[in-house]
Amino acid sequence: MKQAIGSVTGQDLVRQITLDERHVYDTEEAERKMMKMKISKKKRGEFTIKCKCCGLIIIEGDLVRHIKRKHYIICCKDILARITRKTTEKKKKMFDGVQKQDKVYGRECQHNWGSILIFHKLEFVSLSQKYIKFFDVKRDEFLDCKKWSDLTFVINEISENDIKEYADTAISSQDTNI
């Protein structure tokens, strides 16, 4: 027992902890630098989002915002008048301060577009990458993106000002159902 205590006290635990903390910090810093490089390669430009099934224009790209680079939402009240909502039997899930709600379908084409997300007690349309395609207006071609993060255009994070404007102009959810 004395030998075990002697060997533990003989080790430089403080030095080992410091080295481990430094390694974790360096790893996180490298990830932050990679993210900044990836973002800096993105460009500003015009793009539209279209229904993958029929090509109907859903929304202009400058009206899309992201929440923590995970959830991409449409920050425009006009989209609510162009959708049909269908409730799901699944339990409403809460993640990252966002709650997933009903499924969203195009009112004209009836194709699935994504879902409704509740953020700051407001309903936003969140488009699913599975059901949409991006169209580069300047180059007049479709973009091949499997994930939102693959998109070569800059998408701004939702700001407090965006939320305030949206809250002031949002259509009530009763007006969007058929």
Side-chain angles (χ1 to χ4, degrees):
M1 184 68 149
K2 287 182 182 180
Q3 244 182 346
I5 292 172
S7 70
V8 168
T9 56
Q11 294 177 355
D12 190 3
L13 293 177
V14 174
R15 181 175 180 273
Q16 186 61 41
I17 290 170
T18 304
L19 289 173
D20 290 344
E21 287 175 342
R22 184 67 178 167
H23 176 71
V24 169
Y25 174 79
D26 289 342
T27 303
E28 289 173 349
E29 191 63 28
E31 288 173 3
R32 282 190 287 272
K33 284 181 183 177
M34 288 298 291
M35 182 64 81
K36 283 183 182 178
M37 284 177 45
K38 194 173 182 181
I39 291 169
S40 67
K41 289 181 181 177
K42 295 188 179 225
K43 60 185 177 186
R44 296 216 175 266
E46 288 186 48
F47 69 97
T48 57
I49 299 174
K50 296 185 176 192
C51 177
K52 195 172 227 171
C53 297
C54 65
L56 179 74
I57 293 176
I58 299 171
I59 199 78
E60 296 296 321
D62 62 336
L63 299 172
V64 178
R65 302 287 185 272
H66 70 82
I67 302 169
K68 299 178 185 175
R69 298 201 188 286
K70 293 181 183 176
H71 313 288
Y72 290 82
I73 59 173
I74 297 174
C75 197
C76 174
K77 67 175 183 171
D78 297 338
I79 192 71
L80 295 174
R82 299 182 47 230
I83 63 166
T84 301
R85 299 168 58 158
K86 295 183 183 171
T87 57
T88 60
E89 299 298 321
K90 292 182 181 178
K91 183 180 174 186
K92 311 292 188 230
K93 295 181 182 178
M94 183 77 156
F95 46 93
D96 298 327
V98 176
Q99 183 178 13
K100 189 173 180 179
Q101 289 252 304
D102 305 338
K103 286 288 205 182
V104 172
Y105 296 85
R107 186 166 279 184
E108 292 176 38
C109 65
Q110 293 302 310
H111 294 127
N112 190 347
W113 287 353
S115 57
I116 295 285
L117 295 182
I118 307 294
F119 181 67
H120 286 276
K121 299 180 183 175
L122 296 170
E123 294 181 340
F124 291 94
V125 174
S126 174
L127 299 175
S128 175
Q129 189 67 36
K130 248 194 274 188
Y131 307 117
I132 62 170
K133 55 186 174 181
F134 300 100
F135 184 75
D136 186 339
V137 174
K138 190 173 184 180
R139 294 161 88 195
D140 196 31
E141 64 184 20
F142 286 100
L143 303 172
D144 185 30
C145 298
K146 301 290 184 218
K147 300 178 186 175
W148 279 96
S149 58
D150 294 342
L151 187 63
T152 57
F153 292 103
V154 174
I155 296 178
N156 297 323
E157 185 166 11
I158 191 163
S159 67
E160 291 298 322
N161 191 36
D162 290 334
I163 293 169
K164 185 180 181 310
E165 284 180 26
Y166 188 83
D168 292 343
T169 60
I171 298 173
S172 72
S173 62
Q174 296 161 347
D175 295 340
T176 61
N177 291 325
I178 294 180

